[in-house]
Amino acid sequence: MSAQTFLTTGRKIIAIGRNFSEHAKELNNAVPQSPFFFLKPTSSYLENGGAIEIPRGCEVHHEIELAVVIGKNGRDIPASEADEYIGGYALSIDLTARDLQLKAKKDSLPWTASKGFDTFTPISEFIPKNQISDPANVEIWIKVNDQYRQHGNTKDMIFSIPTLIEHVSSIMKLEVGDVILTGTPKGVASIEAGDIVTAGIKPEGYQEDLLQLKFDVVDRVGGFVHVK
Amino acid sequence: MSAQTFLTTGRKIIAIGRNFSEHAKELNNAVPQSPFFFLKPTSSYLENGGAIEIPRGCEVHHEIELAVVIGKNGRDIPASEADEYIGGYALSIDLTARDLQLKAKKDSLPWTASKGFDTFTPISEFIPKNQISDPANVEIWIKVNDQYRQHGNTKDMIFSIPTLIEHVSSIMKLEVGDVILTGTPKGVASIEAGDIVTAGIKPEGYQEDLLQLKFDVVDRVGGFVHVK
Ligand SMILES: [Mg+2]
Ligand SMILES: [Mg+2]
Ligand SMILES: [Mg+2]
């Protein structure tokens, strides 16, 4: 087990909701008073270059997010010590079947299906911790068919990464290879079969992106059908 | 990776909601028209003999459930072939911070925290598949301080295990060591520090329980506080 092998050995993905106020507002949600989160299954990981699948009948939104990869087991981690538990980072997309999520919210049901389809967590290779000196000053962007959709900076997070680690680890212990998706800036919108999704990450001090991602979008063959 | 080692190598726990009509009714919920589910983190597993921790300020309910352990990777598994993907079983308790869950439902937020605290998935050792010839006819029971709280039979499930496997695998692929908690019969109620929780499982044809579980209940020291 190591943080580097999180894609194949990590056991949970914790995704933070509404951690950028402009994003909370664009979906008509209140800005949260304390962090909240949901789980995505590790079976939803999709490596760079893969094909994002749109489930039948679903409207799927992209959410570009900085991922924190846990490097050390911990519980009740104080924010002041959180940095020791960070093993590295990754660039990820928290794909969301928005129509299913809205229905789940209306019915007071779990968000799980809407967030957990296969291919719904496209993610980069492991980024060693020393390549991002300040995770609170990182530009992240996503384009669809070469048009910018989201272009934000982690400095606009409502709850900092140390605060998120403190909060989550007060509820569930963090283990090596666990991933925290830290929330998305404004600009979420839908993708469709035939689209090309690209994304990049540029930490403070870099002249160019540290890495970029590219994914095709295809229709899922078979599987779940969202009947309206 | 094998089904037998699910406690340490499994990567997801899929928990089915409201799969017994008498239980749906006791919480004033509608009986579902199709299955729904949420994820619990594998970090919430607690082995037999361990101590269940009550998070500060939380009202915690027991839900006794038959767990299915996946033995073969699969996607879009038809109900007619689901049995091939079952590697074995376990007896489990889906612990729930009911007050937090009710608040999450009221606010249309994820159930994740209410279901995901450390120690919130007490579970037995692996039960080999051949020890339960008919998973649709299994008695499960739970006692608190030697008083019966729940005593149901899997024959009263609304959605059968093959139907659950078909549904879940149409959304997220199933992998060896994944666990499906199949829902709880009526009788959920709260536990407190000092209680002793025991549980058992008796498949059709057995004269005595196949196995029993025993857990102490203690107050969580530190960690999350539910402020009302
Ligand atoms: Mg997100
Ligand atoms: Mg349950
Ligand atoms: Mg108490």
Side-chain angles (χ1 to χ4, degrees):
Chain A
M1 293 280 193
S2 75
Q4 284 83 351
T5 61
F6 75 95
L7 270 176
T8 49
T9 60
R11 296 180 87 194
K12 61 179 173 292
I13 304 171
I14 297 141
I16 309 296
R18 303 176 199 158
N19 201 24
F20 287 76
S21 11
E22 296 300 317
H23 166 62
K25 288 176 199 161
E26 75 183 344
L27 294 181
N28 298 312
N29 289 313
V31 174
Q33 299 302 302
S34 63
F36 76 86
F37 58 92
F38 52 90
L39 293 170
K40 300 189 74 153
T42 58
S43 48
S44 66
Y45 279 137
L46 178 69
E47 290 187 70
N48 186 24
I52 293 166
E53 297 178 345
I54 307 295
R56 294 186 282 178
C58 290
E59 183 184 3
V60 175
H61 276 195
H62 53 77
E63 302 186 353
I64 188 77
E65 311 202 5
L66 177 66
V68 172
V69 185
I70 297 300
K72 180 175 153 185
N73 294 348
R75 184 189 207 196
D76 293 344
I77 301 166
S80 60
E81 295 172 17
D83 186 62
E84 295 169 37
Y85 294 82
I86 299 177
Y89 303 93
L91 179 63
S92 68
I93 309 173
D94 172 22
L95 292 173
T96 308
R98 190 71 70 199
D99 47 359
L100 279 188
Q101 186 200 27
L102 290 176
K103 183 170 191 317
K105 287 167 64 176
K106 189 169 70 64
D107 296 341
S108 296
L109 288 173
W111 298 11
T112 308
S114 71
K115 293 283 192 176
F117 287 94
D118 294 348
T119 80
F120 264 35
T121 311
I123 195 156
S124 75
E125 64 197 80
F126 180 76
I127 300 173
K129 187 176 181 178
N130 63 14
Q131 293 189 18
I132 299 185
S133 56
D134 182 5
N137 194 352
V138 176
E139 272 181 54
I140 52 178
W141 61 263
I142 187 167
K143 292 181 183 178
V144 176
N145 303 329
D146 221 31
Q147 304 289 311
Y148 277 112
R149 288 279 188 88
Q150 297 179 270
H151 195 162
N153 190 302
T154 59
K155 70 178 180 223
D156 294 321
M157 286 182 185
I158 299 169
F159 303 106
S160 69
I161 290 171
T163 298
L164 297 176
I165 289 174
E166 176 173 291
H167 178 72
V168 173
S169 73
S170 78
I171 294 170
M172 48 182 77
K173 57 190 168 196
L174 291 173
E175 298 174 312
V176 175
D178 286 351
V179 162
I180 301 176
L181 306 184
T182 58
T184 199
K186 71 176 177 193
V188 302
S190 69
I191 55 174
E192 295 191 350
D195 286 343
I196 303 289
V197 174
T198 50
I201 178 168
K202 189 155 82 75
E204 167 66 10
Y206 280 69
Q207 300 305 309
E208 295 185 357
D209 287 333
L210 169 56
L211 61 77
Q212 293 188 355
L213 302 175
K214 184 175 178 185
F215 299 95
D216 292 325
V217 184
V218 301
D219 282 321
R220 166 83 150 92
V221 176
F224 178 85
V225 185
H226 181 202
V227 181
K228 275 105 179 171
Chain B
M1 293 281 189
S2 74
Q4 284 83 350
T5 62
F6 75 95
L7 271 175
T8 50
T9 60
R11 297 181 86 195
K12 60 179 174 287
I13 303 171
I14 297 140
I16 308 297
R18 301 174 200 161
N19 201 24
F20 288 76
S21 28
E22 297 300 317
H23 166 62
K25 288 176 198 161
E26 75 182 345
L27 294 181
N28 299 310
N29 288 313
V31 173
Q33 299 302 302
S34 64
F36 76 86
F37 58 93
F38 51 90
L39 293 170
K40 300 189 75 153
T42 58
S43 47
S44 68
Y45 280 137
L46 178 70
E47 291 188 70
N48 187 25
I52 292 167
E53 296 178 345
I54 306 294
R56 293 186 282 178
C58 290
E59 183 184 3
V60 175
H61 276 195
H62 53 75
E63 301 186 353
I64 188 75
E65 313 203 3
L66 176 67
V68 172
V69 184
I70 298 299
K72 179 175 154 184
N73 294 347
R75 185 189 205 196
D76 294 343
I77 301 166
S80 60
E81 296 172 18
D83 186 62
E84 295 170 36
Y85 294 82
I86 299 177
Y89 303 93
L91 179 63
S92 68
I93 309 173
D94 172 22
L95 290 174
T96 307
R98 190 72 69 199
D99 48 359
L100 279 187
Q101 186 200 28
L102 289 176
K103 184 171 190 317
K105 286 167 64 177
K106 189 171 70 64
D107 295 342
S108 296
L109 288 173
W111 298 10
T112 308
S114 73
K115 292 282 192 177
F117 287 95
D118 295 347
T119 80
F120 264 35
T121 311
I123 194 156
S124 75
E125 63 198 80
F126 179 77
I127 301 173
K129 187 175 181 179
N130 62 14
Q131 293 189 19
I132 300 185
S133 57
D134 182 5
N137 192 352
V138 177
E139 271 181 55
I140 53 178
W141 60 263
I142 187 167
K143 292 180 182 177
V144 176
N145 304 329
D146 222 29
Q147 303 289 311
Y148 277 112
R149 288 279 187 87
Q150 297 180 268
H151 194 162
N153 190 302
T154 58
K155 69 177 180 225
D156 294 322
M157 285 182 186
I158 299 170
F159 303 105
S160 69
I161 291 171
T163 298
L164 297 176
I165 289 174
E166 176 173 291
H167 178 72
V168 173
S169 73
S170 78
I171 293 170
M172 47 183 78
K173 57 190 168 194
L174 292 172
E175 298 174 311
V176 175
D178 285 350
V179 162
I180 301 176
L181 306 184
T182 57
T184 199
K186 70 176 176 193
V188 301
S190 68
I191 55 175
E192 294 193 349
D195 287 343
I196 304 288
V197 175
T198 50
I201 177 168
K202 189 156 81 75
E204 165 68 11
Y206 280 68
Q207 300 305 307
E208 295 185 357
D209 286 334
L210 169 57
L211 61 79
Q212 293 189 356
L213 301 175
K214 184 177 179 186
F215 300 94
D216 293 325
V217 183
V218 301
D219 281 323
R220 166 83 150 94
V221 175
F224 178 85
V225 185
H226 180 202
V227 180
K228 274 107 179 169

